[in-house]
Amino acid sequence: MTEKLLPAKAVIDMFGVSHMTLWRWMKDEGVAFPKPKLVINRRRYWDAADIDAYSKRGQVQNAVKAAPPKIKDAAKIATA
């Protein structure tokens, strides 16, 4: 069976995070984000089944809460 590979852009769009947040998730062992299955010229591709399993485990909500706010959100926080 062939595995479906998702590029970083698809993973970012799926979780609604930035490239930096995705990088942080990959580096933070506490988040337990799946490692890319394939890297070609610094482009990362994840197995769709791994991403789906991670999403179903409910760890995404915890990782998103732990992630720093995006720049546009930071401006709102600074003015509050």
Side-chain angles (χ1 to χ4, degrees), residues 30-49:
V31 175
F33 194 76
K35 301 291 182 204
K37 287 285 183 186
L38 182 64
V39 178
I40 300 174
N41 293 330
R42 297 176 56 187
R43 294 178 186 214
R44 301 157 306 200
Y45 298 88
W46 282 264
D47 183 358

Side-chain angles (χ1 to χ4, degrees), residues 9-80:
K9 175 72 173 139
V11 175
I12 287 166
D13 291 344
M14 184 181 298
F15 295 121
V17 297
S18 68
H19 284 277
M20 191 67 201
T21 298
L22 183 61
W23 180 83
R24 285 185 188 116
W25 287 358
M26 290 173 29
K27 299 297 178 189
D28 185 351
E29 303 218 355
V31 175
F33 194 76
K35 301 291 182 204
K37 287 285 183 186
L38 182 64
V39 178
I40 300 174
N41 293 330
R42 297 176 56 187
R43 294 178 186 214
R44 301 157 306 200
Y45 298 88
W46 282 264
D47 183 358
D50 289 349
I51 297 298
D52 188 45
Y54 179 80
S55 174
K56 287 181 180 174
R57 285 194 307 255
Q59 290 180 298
V60 175
Q61 289 80 16
N62 295 336
V64 170
K65 287 178 189 173
K70 292 183 181 180
I71 298 298
K72 61 182 176 185
D73 296 335
K76 291 179 187 175
I77 292 169
T79 59

